[in-house]
Amino acid sequence: MHLVFDSLTGNVRRLAHRIAARAAGMDVQDVRSGWIGDPFLLLTYTFHRGDVPESTRAFLRGAGRGLRGVVASGSYHWGTNFARAADVIAAEHAVPIIAKVNKGGTDADVALILAWLASATAPNPTNLQTVTFTGGTHGTLD
């Protein structure tokens, strides 16, 4: 499983590298640097009032077949549009939302994502379409 991220401010990039540091052998790639292979977990941000970044959309147009789950970052001050990119991508690609994180996420968010990755990469993974991790304590690292 690969981690693929799209980051505007650096929050999502830092989150992807925190996850990779705790998951031995996990490749990390920016959506702008090309394709490294299937399958992958996408970590992206939410732009403006709930939009999926165009750079994320462009990447998924070419590599969407390998998408297994999505994590989106946002800011709580957007209310119902908080991390809405996850909702949009999950609906368009029929994959689970693994987490919605506030800005760069918390240690609890990292643990939750790592738990999903462990399940998804197990020899006999659970039905990933129905496994959705939500909740946890959210905070900011900024």
Side-chain angles (χ1 to χ4, degrees), residues 3-8 12-13 16 28-36 40-45 52-63 67 89:
L3 293 177
V4 177
F5 72 90
D6 194 356
S7 188
L8 180 67
V12 178
R13 178 185 48 78
V28 181
Q29 172 193 339
D30 188 311
V31 298
R32 293 163 187 86
S33 65
W35 180 233
I36 59 173
F40 66 92
L41 172 63
L42 175 67
L43 295 87
T44 191
Y45 61 98
V52 176
E54 183 51 39
S55 49
T56 297
R57 286 197 178 280
F59 178 80
L60 289 172
R61 279 192 292 274
L67 180 62
I89 292 167

Side-chain angles (χ1 to χ4, degrees), residues 95-133:
V95 296
I97 297 169
I98 308 312
K100 292 181 172 186
V101 303
N102 191 48
K103 300 185 181 178
T106 65
D107 288 341
D109 295 323
V110 170
L112 181 130
I113 295 163
L114 287 168
W116 182 85
L117 284 166
S119 173
T121 57
N124 296 307
T126 58
N127 182 346
L128 300 179
Q129 288 301 108
T130 60
V131 176
T132 302
F133 293 92

